Amino acid sequence: MEAMEDDSLDIKDDHNHNYCASSSSSKVRSYLSSQLSVPQPVCPALPGGEAGSRRGKLRSGSSTAAGSKFVDSDSGSESSEVSETDCSAAPAAVEGKFTLDSTSKFLLNAMAVEDYRKNHWPNLEKAIDRLLIQNPTDHISVSYAQIYSYVYKCVCQQHSELLYNDLTSKITSHLQQVSTQLQASPPENFIETFNVALTQYTASLQCIVPVFMYLNKFYIESKLNRDLREDLMKLFADHVAEKHVNTLMPLLIKAHSMPFEVQPSTMASVVKGLYSLRPEWAHLAPALFSGFIPQINPPAVESLLSDYAAHDQKLQMELSMNGFPRGDQSRKRASDDS
């Protein structure tokens, strides 16, 4: 006890209870190092047993340091310094791990794109070709379940944008060929040829859109805020109908003025198809479109009833002069005035 009291005279206490020992007081340092428990730094495990070696250095640091040092009896200032040094090595290892993961993801993505180009898209392209060239009355053996499965895999592998671009490019190329064929069609058959192209394309979309439903739901509708069928019909309007509407409209007006020059079902199909593609095309020939599309003309006005009656009488006279008699009127019930 007397030895301890003599040795304690060399210790100076500050207001934080940190004991300052001079470098010459070896007994005080040895006593403090044996009595004070230094907290161990809390760090992730380091490879190669570095944590154990650092702990060894921490325990012997009080006897090897030159000059005066402060030893905190509550929290251990030296241990805090060592823990910061130990923890600073952890981000380097984490950074190396992230770099490896990024490289792996890039390689996996490249492999997935290569698999899409070699396996998935060629099979889808063949199926789309067969669906685009089929006639409405023909039966083509196509595995819709297999096509849907390919589309599902492409969307799940994050190839939605790539698949959508390939699909629209493929159909655009087909429509350009259709437009070229229409240019070579003679005027007397132009309306029928256009109707065949429109009907065939519409029937193809009834098969294509359902099998690409997964792409439409999880990419086109959710990210582009559009609809697949509307986008594909717009392609027909841009690449086929718009290029030939100036040629088609005069032929339709002429055929409408001459009854049965073109089949009524063909006329109705073409006019309704043009209106569905671009409603503003109805302004090019209001009289033509009003014969097949309701409410094209402005609403009737009471003050113009006499004009409407005169127009109907004129139409009846034109029909009778063109060989369409009113039929046998002998069995018609006589009016009360006669």
Side-chain angles (χ1 to χ4, degrees):
M1 294 294 294
E2 294 178 357
M4 292 178 59
E5 292 177 357
D6 293 337
D7 293 339
S8 62
L9 296 176
D10 295 333
I11 302 174
K12 296 179 181 180
D13 185 9
D14 60 4
H15 64 280
N16 289 327
H17 302 291
N18 291 324
Y19 300 96
C20 178
S22 63
S23 59
S24 61
S25 302
S26 59
K27 293 182 180 181
V28 176
R29 288 198 301 268
S30 60
Y31 172 76
L32 290 177
S33 61
S34 62
Q35 295 296 324
L36 295 177
S37 60
V38 182
Q40 299 299 325
V42 180
C43 290
L46 298 176
E50 292 183 6
S53 62
R54 293 175 187 269
R55 285 196 296 267
K57 292 179 181 180
L58 174 62
R59 291 170 181 172
S60 60
S62 59
S63 60
T64 57
S68 60
K69 290 186 179 179
F70 286 94
V71 181
D72 189 357
S73 61
D74 295 331
S75 60
S77 60
E78 289 187 7
S79 65
S80 63
E81 295 177 0
V82 176
S83 64
E84 292 177 0
T85 307
D86 291 342
C87 294
S88 63
V94 176
E95 183 178 357
K97 183 179 179 181
F98 288 159
T99 305
L100 180 60
D101 292 344
S102 301
T103 306
S104 302
K105 289 181 181 179
F106 177 79
L107 293 176
L108 291 175
N109 187 38
M111 293 173 61
V113 172
E114 183 179 0
D115 182 63
Y116 167 82
R117 289 299 184 189
K118 289 184 177 180
N119 299 323
H120 294 80
W121 173 245
N123 294 322
L124 289 173
E125 187 177 17
K126 292 178 183 178
I128 293 171
D129 282 333
R130 300 182 67 181
L131 294 175
L132 287 174
I133 63 176
Q134 71 171 346
N135 292 321
T137 57
D138 295 342
H139 174 72
I140 296 181
S141 178
V142 177
S143 177
Y144 293 100
Q146 188 175 9
I147 300 174
Y148 184 87
S149 176
Y150 285 133
V151 174
Y152 176 82
K153 292 178 181 178
C154 293
V155 174
C156 291
Q157 293 177 1
Q158 305 298 322
H159 297 320
S160 301
E161 182 178 1
L162 188 61
L163 179 60
Y164 176 75
N165 293 334
D166 287 340
L167 175 63
T168 53
S169 298
K170 179 64 182 178
I171 294 181
T172 299
S173 177
H174 169 75
L175 293 177
Q176 290 174 350
Q177 297 178 2
V178 172
S179 179
T180 303
Q181 295 174 0
L182 282 174
Q183 290 178 353
S185 177
E188 58 272 14
N189 298 327
F190 192 85
I191 297 178
E192 288 82 358
T193 306
F194 183 87
N195 181 57
V196 170
L198 177 60
T199 304
Q200 183 176 355
Y201 183 75
T202 305
S204 300
L205 294 189
Q206 293 178 356
C207 301
I208 294 175
V209 173
V211 295
F212 282 85
M213 177 182 63
Y214 206 77
L215 175 68
N216 185 37
K217 181 178 181 180
F218 291 96
Y219 177 72
I220 302 176
E221 290 182 354
S222 61
K223 293 186 177 181
L224 303 182
N225 297 322
R226 298 200 301 264
D227 181 73
L228 178 59
R229 179 178 177 81
E230 294 178 358
D231 286 359
L232 298 183
M233 289 301 297
K234 186 177 182 300
L235 291 178
F236 187 90
D238 294 339
H239 298 282
V240 179
E242 188 174 7
K243 293 182 178 180
H244 301 283
V245 67
N246 294 329
T247 303
L248 184 63
M249 201 63 67
L251 296 175
L252 289 173
I253 295 174
K254 179 181 178 181
H256 184 63
S257 63
M258 301 175 64
F260 296 100
E261 180 177 354
V262 179
Q263 290 292 331
S265 59
T266 302
M267 288 288 296
S269 176
V270 173
V271 173
K272 291 180 180 179
L274 292 175
Y275 184 78
S276 64
L277 294 174
R278 298 280 177 83
E280 59 269 18
W281 283 341
H283 300 292
L284 300 176
L288 170 66
F289 281 83
S290 63
F292 302 94
I293 308 295
Q295 299 180 354
I296 292 296
N297 291 326
V301 182
E302 183 179 1
S303 60
L304 298 177
L305 289 178
S306 59
D307 295 338
Y308 300 150
H311 180 269
D312 291 341
Q313 292 178 358
K314 180 182 178 181
L315 177 61
Q316 293 177 2
M317 291 294 296
E318 291 178 352
L319 291 174
S320 61
M321 292 177 62
N322 290 326
F324 296 94
R326 299 180 60 183
D328 186 12
Q329 303 291 324
S330 61
R331 301 187 62 182
K332 185 178 179 181
R333 188 179 67 177
S335 62
D336 296 337
D337 297 337
S338 61

